[in-house]
Amino acid sequence: MKKNKNYYAVLMAGGVGSRFWPVSTSAYPKQFHDMLGAGDTLLQKTFSRLNNFIPAENILILTNERYNELVLSQLPMISSNQVILEPVMRNTAPCILYAALKIKKMNPEGLMIVAPSDHWIEDEKAFELNVKSCFDKCEREEVICTLGIKPTFPNTGFGYIEFEQIASQESSSVLFAVKQFREKPDYETAKSFLKQGNFLWNAGIFIWSVRTILEAFKEFQSEQYELFNSGYEIFNTAGEKDFIDKNYPKADNISIDYAILEKAREIFVLPATFDWNDLGTWGSLYHKLGKDEDDNAIVSGKVLSEDASGNMIRLPKDKIAVIDGLKDYIIVDKEEVLMIYPKSKEQSIKSVLAEVKKRFGDQYI
C-alpha cells in the first residue's frame, strides 16, 4: 500500500537507559540492544513499526553525536541525513524544535509523530490506526495530539494525562480534550486517578502538524524559536552542522512537556488500543517475557534451576548458569560485570551505578 508522503516520524534515541545496567551502558544504551531476545534491537523494532505506514526516508532519528555510528549500523536503510545529532544534551524541547524546522524545509505540509525508540508495543496494526486517527485530526485542525495508555494499576513511575470525560462518546477512535498533564504521583494519588477514571499514563508519544508545533514554539518559546530559526536557510545543507555545533549549546535545557504541552490550549488524547510497556526496568521486561516452568524469564543462556523462581535472567548466549535458592532476583552476566540484585530494589540500580563508578571507574557504566 502506498505510504503518505506527508507522514514523518522522529524517534527519540538519545537516552542512556541506566536502569538496565549492566547491559545498557552510556557507550551502548538499551535502545541498541535486543532486550527481548527477539532478533531485533528496540530501535530496529520501533523503526519497522513506523515504517509500516511512514516512508523510510521520512523517519528521522534524534540521538547524541556519540551514537551516530550505532544508529547507521543498525538502520542501514537510512541515510546519514536522517540522523539528527545533538552536540550536547538539552532535554526534549530543543531537539524537537530542530527536527520540526528540518521537516518544514523538506515539506511544509508535514505531519509528525514524536516517539521513544525503546518502548514495547504488541499490536502494531492497532498502533498504526491510532496514529493515523491523530494524523487525520492534526491535518484538519491546529491541534496537538497524544496517545495515552489505559492504566492497569496505580503506577507511580509514570506521568498521567487528565482528560475531559464525554459520556456519550465510547468509540475507541474518539479523541478527548486534555484537561492537564500531571506529574508522577505518589501511590495514594495514583489510586485516586484510577478511581476517577479519566486519567491515562503519559507514554511520551506526540502527534502534530509541523505548522502547529512551530506556531506553538513561536508563541511559548520565542527565544528558543528565534535561535533555531535563524539557521533555517542552511538546514538540510552542508552548513547545518557548523550552525548546530555553535548554537545548540545556547538552547534552554527544557522538556517538551514544560515548554509547550503545559501551555498549549488545543491538546487531545486518544486512549491507545494496543498493549504497551515502556521497558524502563528489568522488572518491566520480566513481565513481558515468556516464563519457564519455575516462572523465570530467560532472555538468553541456559539455566539449570533448583528452588529458584520469579527471576529475570540474562546470560551470554551459550553460558550455563546453575541457580539454587534465589527468588525474584535480576541475574545479569555481561563480560566484566555480574549483577545479582533483588527485583524489589530495581529502582536503586541508578545509585549502584554511582557507587561502581566511584569505586571502579566509569569504564563499567
Side-chain angles (χ1 to χ4, degrees), residues 18-146:
S18 55
R19 287 177 296 176
F20 270 112
W21 186 81
V23 168
S24 182
T25 63
S26 56
Y28 209 109
K30 69 169 179 175
Q31 61 268 27
F32 302 111
H33 288 277
D34 177 10
M35 298 301 299
L36 295 159
D40 289 317
T41 67
L42 295 177
L43 174 65
Q44 289 169 330
K45 190 67 179 161
T46 305
F47 185 96
S48 171
R49 183 186 309 125
L50 287 159
N51 191 213
N52 287 332
F53 59 100
I54 296 176
E57 63 273 17
N58 288 7
I59 302 176
L60 308 179
I61 315 298
L62 263 171
T63 192
N64 191 274
E65 277 187 340
R66 68 188 301 190
Y67 306 136
N68 188 34
E69 292 307 315
L70 270 174
V71 170
L72 292 172
S73 67
Q74 293 198 0
L75 301 175
M77 71 291 289
I78 70 171
S79 73
S80 58
N81 295 332
Q82 289 171 250
V83 187
I84 302 178
L85 301 173
E86 301 171 273
V88 292
M89 294 183 80
R90 284 292 182 272
N91 217 313
T92 51
C95 58
I96 289 171
L97 170 58
Y98 175 24
L101 285 165
K102 282 174 66 67
I103 293 170
K104 178 190 174 185
K105 196 165 182 194
M106 290 185 262
N107 180 359
E109 301 304 312
L111 301 161
M112 292 169 61
I113 175 173
V114 176
S117 62
D118 54 4
H119 288 182
W120 177 92
I121 290 171
E122 185 161 299
D123 188 342
E124 297 194 345
K125 192 62 189 175
F127 171 78
E128 177 181 336
L129 292 172
N130 286 176
V131 174
K132 283 181 173 178
S133 291
C134 293
F135 273 152
D136 289 346
K137 187 171 183 69
C138 292
E139 190 172 33
R140 295 190 310 268
E141 305 170 39
E142 290 190 9
V143 298
I144 288 170
C145 291
T146 182

Side-chain angles (χ1 to χ4, degrees), residues 260-290:
I260 303 296
L261 300 178
E262 292 189 0
K263 299 179 174 71
R265 289 169 290 277
E266 295 291 316
I267 305 185
F268 291 84
V269 62
L270 176 64
T273 58
F274 50 84
D275 282 342
W276 170 92
N277 192 297
D278 78 329
L279 292 183
T281 65
W282 286 111
S284 64
L285 180 59
Y286 171 84
H287 289 298
K288 285 302 167 193
L289 291 170

